[in-house]
Amino acid sequence: MKQKRRVAIQGVSGANHEIAAREFFRDYDVEVVPCLTFEDLFRRVREEDDLYGICAIENTLVGSIQSNYTLLKDSGLEVIGEYKLRIKHNLMVLPGVTIDEIREVHSHPMALAQCKAFFKDYPNIRLIESEDTALSAKEVAEKGQRDVAAIAPAIAADLYGLNILRAGIETNKKNFTRFLVVNESGTFDRDELLAQNRIDRASIVFTLSQSGEVGSLSKVLTVLAFYGINMTKIQSNPVVGHEWEYIFYVDLSFKNYTRYVQSISAVRPLCSSLRILGEYETGRQSDEN
């Protein structure tokens, strides 16, 4: 019998967050815990010891989700893993409905924007923004509206008894979202991964000792490069209440864990604050098809 994992997601069942959660914890019996907002997700994971969380952090088309970086930092939770999900948008309706009957399509603004090219051939259909892709599908099913369709993941059609009228209507087929898996303790298989030399990524956050000093950020990056640490992403956000000062979120990859630890020790004196958000294994990426 598989071990159980409770995983908090943003949105209702059938969302992309659920797909990513089930893929990351594919060897476990997953119980999804829907949360209305990301704030609610981080709060619940902090309060419930056995609860994991998964949250979108960046997308290949629209970039970083900056508010989630802030929530992650402020939560005190640790990143224990990642998963990169290929985003597929499907047009779904009540059984028996044809595309000629549709007058409105409801979905998250990002999903609608990524499918606009498809609807150029259907000028009579209005695109209506909603809170969530899966929630849009759920409401179509619950309200029984034959003239309303939803754009959502295929799993939502299965859950809510809808038919997929057109699959994969997104314009860009190279659309991936990166999700981070978070936990209160940060101990999920960590010792085992270290023993197997599988921890090869880290997420850190830091502020600089003297934000006005020329080349202060460059010095940090030079030290990391000296130790053979590859910076795969850097995201800067303003420090609230301190004009023109910034906090830096950085993702690192490395082949030698010991050299990574040494690099962190070397850059600490250059920073006014530095926190390791998590150390983990490079995550899988879903199939592009």
Side-chain angles (χ1 to χ4, degrees), residues 11-116:
V12 301
S13 293
N16 283 312
H17 276 78
E18 177 174 358
I19 300 173
R22 294 191 181 281
E23 284 295 319
F24 182 84
F25 291 102
R26 59 194 177 278
D27 295 328
Y28 294 84
D29 178 14
V30 175
E31 176 191 341
V32 168
V33 180
C35 299
L36 183 61
T37 64
F38 285 113
E39 289 86 350
D40 186 35
L41 183 153
F42 279 97
R43 177 188 60 79
R44 291 199 60 173
V45 175
R46 282 198 310 271
E47 295 175 352
E48 301 178 36
D49 292 339
D50 67 335
L51 187 61
Y52 294 80
I54 189 165
C55 71
I57 200 70
E58 62 178 312
N59 176 268
T60 53
L61 300 185
V62 300
S64 300
I65 304 175
Q66 296 194 25
S67 58
N68 284 355
Y69 277 99
T70 302
L71 287 171
L72 173 61
K73 173 182 67 70
D74 294 343
S75 71
L77 300 176
E78 293 187 46
V79 179
I80 65 166
E82 64 177 0
Y83 186 78
K84 304 178 186 75
L85 177 68
R86 158 83 153 86
I87 303 301
K88 303 175 184 179
H89 295 307
N90 306 282
L91 183 67
M92 53 191 67
V93 295
L94 291 171
V97 171
T98 67
I99 199 163
D100 293 331
E101 296 177 71
I102 299 173
R103 294 293 173 265
E104 294 181 0
V105 172
H106 295 201
S107 196
H108 189 276
M110 191 180 299
L112 294 176
Q114 293 170 1
C115 300
K116 278 190 175 180

Side-chain angles (χ1 to χ4, degrees), residues 129-241:
E129 296 183 357
S130 66
E131 295 179 10
D132 182 66
T133 55
L135 180 60
S136 298
K138 182 180 180 182
E139 290 180 344
V140 168
E142 290 179 344
K143 294 178 181 179
Q145 297 169 300
R146 294 185 61 83
D147 61 344
V148 178
I151 297 174
I155 188 176
D158 294 334
L159 282 173
Y160 303 119
L162 300 178
N163 285 350
I164 295 179
L165 202 58
R166 298 286 191 279
I169 64 172
E170 67 277 1
T171 303
N172 192 316
K173 306 301 181 183
K174 300 290 186 179
N175 181 6
F176 286 84
T177 293
R178 178 174 174 242
F179 294 84
L180 295 180
V181 182
V182 296
N183 180 243
E184 177 66 32
S185 64
T187 58
F188 176 74
D189 290 341
R190 187 176 186 278
D191 292 339
E192 181 181 346
L193 293 176
L194 271 177
Q196 298 174 2
N197 196 32
R198 289 166 56 189
I199 290 184
D200 58 1
R201 286 182 67 83
S203 296
I204 65 174
V205 58
F206 62 85
T207 55
L208 297 173
S209 300
Q210 299 180 30
S211 58
E213 181 182 345
V214 175
S216 54
L217 176 60
S218 177
K219 291 177 181 178
V220 171
L221 303 184
T222 298
V223 170
L224 292 173
F226 172 79
Y227 282 91
I229 310 302
N230 183 34
M231 183 182 68
T232 59
K233 180 176 177 62
I234 183 168
Q235 170 73 39
S236 64
N237 286 352
V239 177
V240 177

